[in-house]
Amino acid sequence: QVQLVESGGGLVQAGGSLRLSCAASGRTFSPYVMGWFRQAPGKEREFVAAITWGGGTTYYADSVKGRFTTSRDNAKNTVYLQMNSLKPEDTAVYYCAAAPNYPRLRVAVDYWGQGTQVTVSS
């Protein structure tokens, strides 16, 4: 079992920045790909970004490319999502997720965090 706990959400003005953190605990999760998803009110949950734990390969949704960066600190078992140039349409609950590989992450996440609210005001 892997437990994921997000933090770092909040209220920010458009154009501002936030950094989300996802701390993982439990069984070893070094083989896992770590991802970020978000869900806005009335919308389906959507993929945002992902990073392989060992190789450092990253993936991004087109809507956040060039503005968001995901990284990881293996020693701290923590994954980050740096969000810059935030827009009101980035407002959502952001979830951390883990899966054995990237294709699986996109269709069947093994572990979810509880989510953290990000609100971007115009």
Side-chain angles (χ1 to χ4, degrees):
Q1 194 77 2
V2 174
Q3 292 78 44
L4 304 174
V5 179
E6 304 96 333
S7 61
L11 174 64
V12 64
Q13 289 188 333
S17 298
L18 280 175
R19 189 177 80 156
L20 305 183
S21 299
C22 173
S25 61
R27 60 163 286 180
T28 178
F29 63 112
S30 57
Y32 282 93
V33 171
M34 303 299 294
W36 294 93
F37 291 74
R38 67 186 181 186
Q39 187 167 19
K43 295 187 177 181
E44 293 187 354
R45 192 173 298 189
E46 65 175 0
F47 170 77
V48 175
I51 184 167
T52 56
W53 198 254
T57 302
T58 55
Y59 308 86
Y60 297 97
D62 288 343
S63 59
V64 306
K65 278 181 182 176
R67 300 189 299 121
F68 291 11
T69 302
T70 188
S71 61
R72 88 280 193 219
D73 184 335
N74 293 345
K76 296 182 178 180
N77 293 339
T78 301
V79 177
Y80 304 98
L81 183 67
Q82 178 67 43
M83 305 184 294
N84 299 328
S85 302
L86 283 161
K87 306 174 181 180
E89 51 264 44
D90 294 318
T91 295
V93 177
Y94 283 71
Y95 297 91
C96 181
N101 54 66
Y102 177 66
R104 180 174 173 88
L105 182 81
R106 296 299 305 269
V107 296
V109 168
D110 286 45
Y111 302 102
W112 289 103
Q114 82 288 352
T116 186
Q117 176 70 46
V118 171
T119 303
V120 184
S121 63
S122 58

